[in-house]
């Protein structure tokens, strides 16, 4: 089975942000915070134990591993401080929530540190990533899947132009599947 492409850019700048694939040692505390903060993780499986997160992160940083395809750090473009993470990757065919027969659509996901909420960073990061992908990849559906209870995420998806098309159960909760054509983000 061939690997479908994702956004290949190693860095994608915007007015206030820099999406970058590279992980830096300075990202460590921010990544730990994203994985252990109960409010940040409320709709994505809950907080993980700090020791488990530290161990996994140290292994990745020690191996100087590059990010998985489609995964980016969202950093402040002035300070390079980690604000959150963004994923524009292929949704696995073995998971529910698809709009094409073959599956593996592009899926957009994002998570921000609580201190960055409400400043428009998720909208800015998602917009710049989707525009870059629209310039590089053929038109195709893009998905946003979020817990139906996560009203803020659904509001952001709608603001980006995604429309809800169905719901399904996954991870013990109802999920809403939203979609938009990638061509919509071409400027």
């Amino acid at each position: 089975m061939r690997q479908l492409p994702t956004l290949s850019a190693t860095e994608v700048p915007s007015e206030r942000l820099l999406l970058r694939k590279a992980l830096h040692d300075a990202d460590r505390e921010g990544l730990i915070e994203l994985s252990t903060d109960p409010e940040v993780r409320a709709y994505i499986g809950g907080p993980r134990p700090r020791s488990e997160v530290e161990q996994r992160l140290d292994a990745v940083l020690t191996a100087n591993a590059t990010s998985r395809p489609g995964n980016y750090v969202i950093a402040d473009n002035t300070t390079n401080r980690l604000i959150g993470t963004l994923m524009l990757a292929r949704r696995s065919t073995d998971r529910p929530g698809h709009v094409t027969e073959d599956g593996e659509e592009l899926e957009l996901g994002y998570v921000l540190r609580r201190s960055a909420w409400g400043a428009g960073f998720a909208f800015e990061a998602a917009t710049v990533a989707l525009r870059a992908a629209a310039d590089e990849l053929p038109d195709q559906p893009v998905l946003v899947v979020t817990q139906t209870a996560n009203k803020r995420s659904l509001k952001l998806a709608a603001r980006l132009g995604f429309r809800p098309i169905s719901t399904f159960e996954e991870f013990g909760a109802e999920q809403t599947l939203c979609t938009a054509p990638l061509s919509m983000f071409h400027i």
Side-chain angles (χ1 to χ4, degrees), residues 6-182:
T6 61
L7 181 58
S8 68
T10 57
E11 291 188 344
V12 183
S14 71
E15 184 179 330
R16 300 178 295 166
L17 304 172
L18 176 65
L19 304 184
R20 58 177 163 80
K21 285 190 175 185
L23 287 176
H24 301 161
D25 289 339
D27 297 334
R28 187 178 188 279
E29 281 307 311
L31 291 167
I32 290 169
E33 180 185 320
L34 286 174
S35 295
T36 60
D37 185 315
E39 286 186 58
V40 169
R41 303 275 310 167
Y43 299 107
I44 51 175
R48 297 186 6 229
R50 183 178 176 99
S51 60
E52 173 189 307
V53 172
E54 286 177 336
Q55 192 172 29
R56 191 179 116 257
L57 193 54
D58 287 344
V60 168
L61 289 171
T62 300
N64 198 18
T66 56
S67 179
R68 291 186 313 216
N71 286 351
Y72 291 87
V73 167
I74 304 170
D76 177 287
N77 71 1
T78 303
T79 64
N80 207 15
R81 182 176 183 263
L82 181 137
I83 292 172
T85 59
L86 178 136
M87 172 206 66
L88 186 59
R90 298 289 170 180
R91 185 165 178 86
S92 175
T93 57
D94 62 354
R95 295 183 61 201
H98 292 279
V99 295
T100 64
E101 193 173 302
D102 296 338
E104 290 196 24
E105 303 91 342
L106 283 172
E107 179 181 9
L108 173 68
Y110 36 79
V111 61
L112 299 179
R113 296 170 91 164
R114 205 171 349 140
S115 61
W117 289 2
F121 292 132
F123 180 82
E124 185 175 333
T127 299
V128 74
L130 290 164
R131 285 181 179 163
D135 286 344
E136 180 181 321
L137 301 171
D139 188 29
Q140 58 196 285
V142 181
L143 310 177
V144 170
V145 178
T146 188
Q147 271 192 30
T148 304
N150 190 347
K151 300 304 181 197
R152 289 179 70 170
S153 187
L154 287 171
K155 185 177 176 181
L156 176 57
R159 186 171 168 224
L160 287 164
F162 287 81
R163 61 180 179 73
I165 59 166
S166 66
T167 59
F168 58 90
E169 287 287 317
E170 188 179 31
F171 306 121
E174 183 181 87
Q175 309 292 322
T176 297
L177 171 64
C178 304
T179 189
L182 186 58

